[in-house]
Amino acid sequence: MNSIVKFTLAFLLTFSFTQSLTAQTPKTTSGNPIFEGWYADPEGVILNKEFWVFPTFSAKYKDQVFLDAFSSKDMVNWTKHPRIIDTSAIKWANKAMWAPSIVKKDNKYFLFFSANDIQSSERKGFGPNNPDKDDKIGGIGIGVASRPEGPYKDYLGKPLINQFYNKAQPIDQYVFQDKDKQYYIIYGGWGRCNITKLNKDFTALVPYENGDLVKEITPKGYVEGPTMFIRKGKYYLMWSEGGWTNGTYKVAYGVSDNIFGPFEKKSTILVADEAVATGAGHHSVINIPNTDDWYIVYHRRPIPNLDRDHRVVCIDRMYFNEDGSIKDVKMTFEGVGKVKLK
């Protein structure tokens, strides 16, 4: 047996042993990204004592015709649930299915999403006095299913919101239940953030006392991607700034005593780190029940970033200072350790 053959056999045996050992070694941290593939805009939630992430499939708009989901019992090992909803179920959607937000209510799962990247007459160059030139087929829709992994069917047969209230594009919706059990949608692109009430069966919006269907709560610096949570009686509104197509994307937040604000910007807490990744944003947060343990679920751009749609989903810890302010988030490659839900 010549030396080349011996070397090749030795290499193959070593590689096989290493692969086998790696496969048998249980993961102790999630790693970042937490699962393979180009994904963005992740909604992280706890459903049925499991962790779930519902992201956007990051691709060209014409290819964004479905949504996948991922589940985990420990935040480290993730299972993919492909095509939980797609345009075969949502007949009015044909592209740009974005930014899902999920709610469990009455033993059903309601998946809110944006679709079609609709444009206003003003943005299309027709001026603000030509509402007939607005795109109307698209906006924020709802899918419904009996399980979080679907399959989801069209709940309304049409968009829930397809108008440009306060010049906000109807995208990037986050569905939030307040202390009084009222459900709200917080949403908006193009630098505008709106909040509106949902009726009890999620079939329509509920007007405020003055007759308006939506209220604007845009904080300074807001671009898109809102999310909200309550901690120690305070409302935290978080959002993304910068450009989603590049490394300037980042996360900021404000705090208020009221769900309607005002939310003055406190700081940016998640920004590019040239040693790790750039373009970190459009996130959500997970709080472990009955604890003050918080996690931020977000997307970021690997270095080097070779394409507009090369975005990956990551999880890192999020900590608070004594005064309730949020500490700067440190992006990692390790991700987070195992978390068991009681």
Side-chain angles (χ1 to χ4, degrees):
M1 187 181 295
N2 63 43
S3 58
I4 295 177
V5 174
K6 288 181 179 179
F7 175 82
T8 302
L9 287 173
F11 172 81
L12 290 174
L13 287 170
T14 303
F15 179 79
S16 176
F17 175 76
T18 302
Q19 291 294 97
S20 176
L21 186 63
T22 301
Q24 294 175 16
T25 304
K27 291 174 65 177
T28 57
T29 63
S30 65
N32 276 328
I34 58 173
F35 42 73
E36 294 182 354
W38 303 123
Y39 292 96
D41 316 329
E43 161 116 329
V45 295
I46 295 173
L47 297 170
N48 306 328
K49 296 184 179 180
E50 287 188 330
F51 299 102
W52 285 81
V53 172
F54 295 81
T56 299
F57 172 60
S58 188
K60 296 185 185 306
Y61 290 4
K62 66 180 180 63
D63 298 323
Q64 293 177 314
V65 294
F66 64 90
L67 296 171
D68 297 330
F70 298 82
S71 65
S72 174
K73 296 183 182 297
D74 59 10
M75 211 182 282
V76 167
N77 301 284
W78 292 87
T79 299
K80 181 178 179 178
H81 305 275
R83 287 186 176 262
I84 62 171
I85 190 171
D86 60 31
T87 50
S88 68
I90 311 298
K91 301 299 185 184
W92 54 266
N94 58 64
K95 65 178 181 180
M97 293 189 75
W98 287 340
S101 180
I102 191 164
V103 169
K104 182 182 181 182
K105 184 176 185 292
D106 301 329
N107 292 318
K108 293 182 179 179
Y109 298 87
F110 295 89
L111 188 70
F112 294 75
F113 59 90
S114 314
N116 293 358
D117 184 38
I118 59 175
Q119 302 293 307
S120 68
S121 63
E122 190 172 6
R123 297 274 293 201
K124 291 162 69 177
F126 291 102
N129 298 318
N130 291 279
D132 290 340
K133 298 293 185 180
D134 288 350
D135 293 338
K136 295 293 177 64
I137 303 176
I140 297 172
I142 309 174
V144 64
S146 59
R147 305 180 303 169
E149 65 269 33
Y152 287 83
K153 62 182 182 180
D154 196 341
Y155 183 56
L156 300 177
K158 62 181 181 179
L160 174 70
I161 304 175
N162 68 341
Q163 297 185 46
F164 299 89
Y165 299 106
N166 304 318
K167 299 184 179 180
Q169 188 184 28
I171 61 169
D172 291 3
Q173 63 292 320
Y174 177 69
V175 182
F176 177 78
Q177 187 178 31
D178 201 6
K179 301 171 185 176
D180 61 0
K181 305 302 181 182
Q182 172 66 53
Y183 282 96
Y184 292 86
I185 294 184
I186 304 160
Y187 76 93
W190 298 345
R192 300 295 184 99
C193 185
N194 289 333
I195 184 170
T196 179
K197 290 182 179 181
L198 281 167
N199 68 359
K200 291 184 179 180
D201 59 2
F202 294 169
T203 57
L205 308 181
V206 179
Y208 293 105
E209 291 181 359
N210 65 356
D212 291 342
L213 275 178
V214 303
K215 289 185 178 182
E216 184 174 0
I217 57 170
T218 307
K220 185 177 180 180
Y222 175 93
V223 173
E224 60 192 16
T227 192
M228 182 178 281
F229 62 89
I230 299 173
R231 180 181 182 268
K232 296 186 177 181
K234 299 286 187 180
Y235 291 85
Y236 289 73
L237 177 67
M238 306 183 78
W239 62 88
S240 293
E241 299 181 354
W244 76 267
T245 62
N246 57 56
T248 65
Y249 217 41
K250 52 187 177 291
V251 170
Y253 80 100
V255 184
S256 177
D257 294 323
N258 192 302
I259 192 172
F260 302 109
F263 291 96
E264 294 185 8
K265 179 180 174 178
K266 292 290 187 181
S267 68
T268 53
I269 55 96
L270 180 60
V271 299
D273 180 345
E274 294 296 337
V276 181
T278 65
H282 202 130
H283 72 296
S284 56
V285 298
I286 295 176
N287 172 227
I288 307 304
N290 303 312
T291 77
D292 199 29
D293 295 340
W294 295 80
Y295 295 81
I296 184 167
V297 188
Y298 63 98
H299 76 241
R300 69 192 193 197
R301 297 181 175 279
I303 299 173
N305 190 239
L306 304 178
D307 186 88
R308 182 197 74 163
D309 298 308
H310 284 185
R311 298 174 290 174
V312 294
V313 170
C314 302
I315 298 179
D316 281 303
R317 289 296 302 269
M318 189 174 80
Y319 297 98
F320 294 81
N321 294 305
E322 288 294 327
D323 63 0
S325 59
I326 303 176
K327 294 183 178 181
D328 290 348
V329 173
K330 177 177 174 54
M331 288 194 290
T332 70
F333 291 114
E334 295 79 16
V336 296
K338 289 187 176 181
V339 180
K340 289 292 186 181
L341 293 169
K342 296 180 181 179

